[in-house]
Amino acid sequence: EPADTADEDAASAPDALTFDVENELADAIANEQDISVLIVQLRGLTAESVAVQQLKKLLRERLGKQGLVHDYKDGIALVIRNTNLDTALAFAQSLNNAISVIVQRSGERAETAIGISARAFRMLNAPRLITEAEQAALHADAENPIIAFRVNPEKYKQYMQEEA
């Protein structure tokens, strides 16, 4: 049974995230729903920092049963059920505002980076969805803290033909 908390051993977190995303993708495909993965980084802070701990608590409260919160590498991964890219973007903008308040109140300093990817009704596996969100987070900076991976249908079709 995978945990839906971010209190796992950090070394197993990527495997646990992949496991949970595979299960959520299977459910989303079966129910013709979307699913979004967000990679949230507070650059300059450790997982043990006050701000990161408060953020994980807030995320668990906000997402409730609609999503999963994981420790992931140098940040936090969110898996949000039945959520398309535009809804995930709106959530991320609200989240970014909350992060600013949390970091400021903690007296800590961090640069926020949020990368987002959504299934967008594609047939893809968990590692690809997670990688898209990670790559989006890598492109985030102080000026553009939220980056979403938006699918280009033509490129995706070409990718699928090359993979076949």
Side-chain angles (χ1 to χ4, degrees), residues 75 87 113 121:
T87 304
F121 298 97

Side-chain angles (χ1 to χ4, degrees), residues 87-154:
T87 304
L89 259 169
F91 176 83
Q93 288 164 338
S94 167
L95 178 60
N96 190 42
N97 294 337
I99 290 170
S100 296
V101 171
I102 289 171
V103 171
Q104 189 176 12
R105 285 186 183 158
S106 74
E108 298 167 314
R109 294 181 62 83
E111 181 179 296
T112 304
I114 303 173
I116 307 169
S117 186
R119 176 181 162 238
F121 298 97
R122 297 173 290 163
M123 298 299 286
L124 75 171
N125 62 19
R128 178 162 175 97
L129 188 60
I130 294 165
T131 297
E132 289 173 357
E134 279 182 318
Q135 291 297 313
L138 283 175
H139 289 90
D141 57 30
E143 218 168 280
N144 298 295
I146 303 167
I147 301 291
F149 179 90
R150 196 170 291 276
V151 179
N152 176 325
E154 287 305 311

Side-chain angles (χ1 to χ4, degrees), residues 48-124:
E48 295 78 31
S49 74
V50 172
V52 173
Q53 293 302 317
Q54 289 176 343
L55 177 60
K56 287 191 276 192
K57 183 175 186 264
L58 173 76
L59 288 168
R60 285 189 203 104
E61 289 169 2
R62 275 204 188 173
L63 290 175
K65 299 223 177 288
Q66 190 186 350
L68 304 172
V69 179
H70 278 274
D71 274 335
Y72 187 70
K73 296 184 180 178
D74 59 346
I76 300 167
L78 308 177
V79 182
I80 309 177
R81 299 176 183 104
N82 200 16
T83 301
N84 65 24
L85 191 64
D86 292 329
T87 304
L89 259 169
F91 176 83
Q93 288 164 338
S94 167
L95 178 60
N96 190 42
N97 294 337
I99 290 170
S100 296
V101 171
I102 289 171
V103 171
Q104 189 176 12
R105 285 186 183 158
S106 74
E108 298 167 314
R109 294 181 62 83
E111 181 179 296
T112 304
I114 303 173
I116 307 169
S117 186
R119 176 181 162 238
F121 298 97
R122 297 173 290 163
M123 298 299 286
L124 75 171

Side-chain angles (χ1 to χ4, degrees), residues 16-70:
L17 177 64
T18 301
F19 180 84
D20 280 349
V21 173
E22 284 293 357
N23 286 334
E24 295 300 330
L25 272 170
D27 287 349
I29 290 165
N31 295 305
E32 296 186 10
Q33 294 176 336
D34 216 336
I35 176 178
S36 292
V37 172
L38 287 75
I39 301 293
V40 181
Q41 300 171 336
L42 274 67
R43 296 174 181 159
L45 297 181
T46 65
E48 295 78 31
S49 74
V50 172
V52 173
Q53 293 302 317
Q54 289 176 343
L55 177 60
K56 287 191 276 192
K57 183 175 186 264
L58 173 76
L59 288 168
R60 285 189 203 104
E61 289 169 2
R62 275 204 188 173
L63 290 175
K65 299 223 177 288
Q66 190 186 350
L68 304 172
V69 179
H70 278 274

